Amino acid sequence: MHRMLYLAAPAMLGAVALLLPAASTAATGTVPARSGFTAFATPTQASTPQGVDVAADGNVWYSETSAGKIAVLRPDRSSVEYPLPDGGQPFILKAGKDGIWFTDQVHRAIGHLDPRSGAVVEYAIPSREKPYFIQLAPDGSQWFTVTAGIGRLAPDGSITEWTVRLEHPDDHLEQLSLDRHGNVWFVERNYAGAGPKGTNKVRRLNPGTNVISTYLVPTEGGTPSGVIANADGTVWVSEYYGNALALLDPAVAPHTDETTAPATHAAKQQA
């Protein structure tokens, strides 16, 4: 579902007032940091910043989740904030050529911010599951994880979801990565610790065949959390409770396959 939510008036930081869109030359204040670090205070206090990405122009975009804002730190060290409407809370974001894409866990939606106009558009996730991580594909689509599934927001606004069977009731899908063939790699985690109650599965979705391949990490209950698909076909996986990095070679590692039927929902605009 597609809904235009808001035209955000960005707040230019370094001054106290909320201003209309205009250049800001005031620098964001630095805070004391350890040697080798330069820390920049978030414009809003107690904002719990989470997702961060660097755009091609050098702007550093990040989510101020508790504050319900998306912020940017410019190369000149000035900052701008864009508030989300209706209590939205951005979680993870990615800077694309067409603007900033993000997951909104309060609205259970995938959102887009146009920094030039401040316009925010959100696409409600049909399953109404909470979104976590997001990646941008070369074809203009956005891939994302929800609690128990993988989703794709197409350029036409339609959303396709693949349901994933979790190992344990308290699990959720975490990070995802796209490989050079267009497959989606993703991991499943919980907070039960290593051992039989922890998670073990690294998965690959082939969107063309709807086949999900499952690989097990070396440590029992290692709890894979991060995943990166490499150009050579291998995959790096971080084991949260295994205290290790694992390099997976899908060409030789044992795995199981299952087919899951996706559900696609056409875009519907809401006021």
Side-chain angles (χ1 to χ4, degrees):
M1 301 178 72
H2 171 214
R3 53 181 180 175
M4 172 65 78
L5 291 179
Y6 195 58
L7 185 61
M12 306 299 175
L13 276 301
V16 176
L18 177 68
L19 306 177
L20 294 176
S24 172
T25 58
T28 296
T30 58
V31 296
R34 294 182 178 180
S35 177
F37 285 86
T38 303
F40 300 88
T42 58
T44 298
Q45 294 183 356
S47 62
T48 55
Q50 298 198 79
V52 62
D53 198 17
V54 181
D57 59 6
N59 286 329
V60 182
W61 291 89
Y62 59 97
S63 56
E64 295 183 290
T65 301
S66 294
K69 300 174 182 178
I70 291 174
V72 58
L73 177 65
R74 293 169 168 171
D76 64 2
R77 300 314 185 213
S78 63
S79 290
V80 182
E81 287 180 314
Y82 298 84
L84 297 192
D86 303 327
Q89 289 190 335
F91 182 52
I92 301 300
L93 56 73
K94 291 292 179 182
K97 295 179 180 179
D98 59 346
I100 309 303
W101 291 92
F102 60 93
T103 54
D104 184 339
Q105 295 193 334
V106 169
H107 292 152
R108 304 195 177 218
I110 304 302
H112 176 264
L113 164 68
D114 183 347
R116 296 168 299 180
S117 66
V120 175
V121 179
E122 288 199 340
Y123 301 82
I125 296 171
S127 66
R128 306 307 297 144
E129 287 200 63
K130 183 185 295 185
Y132 288 87
F133 287 79
I134 186 170
Q135 291 288 350
L136 309 184
D139 65 357
S141 61
Q142 294 75 41
W143 288 89
F144 57 93
T145 53
V146 296
T147 302
I150 296 294
R152 177 182 182 266
L153 172 61
D156 66 1
S158 62
I159 291 181
T160 302
E161 293 187 81
W162 290 260
T163 300
V164 177
R165 290 189 298 171
L166 302 177
E167 287 187 75
H168 312 96
D170 60 341
D171 295 353
H172 67 269
L173 300 187
E174 187 86 347
Q175 296 187 30
L176 74 165
S177 182
L178 308 179
D179 69 21
R180 60 181 179 175
H181 301 295
N183 298 313
V184 185
W185 290 87
F186 57 99
V187 290
E188 175 180 341
R189 74 174 299 177
N190 62 21
Y191 299 96
K197 293 184 178 180
T199 64
N200 302 277
K201 296 181 178 180
V202 180
R203 296 186 175 95
R204 177 187 62 202
L205 167 66
N206 182 327
T209 63
N210 299 318
V211 171
I212 295 179
S213 302
T214 300
Y215 301 80
L216 303 182
V217 294
T219 308
E220 182 185 11
T223 308
S225 177
V227 61
I228 291 290
N230 300 313
D232 64 0
T234 61
V235 180
W236 282 106
V237 180
S238 63
E239 294 187 72
Y240 188 79
Y241 290 117
N243 297 308
L245 290 177
L247 183 60
L248 166 65
D249 185 347
V252 298
H255 65 277
T256 58
D257 292 333
E258 65 176 318
T259 302
T260 181
T264 300
H265 300 265
K268 296 181 180 179
Q269 189 168 357
Q270 288 184 324

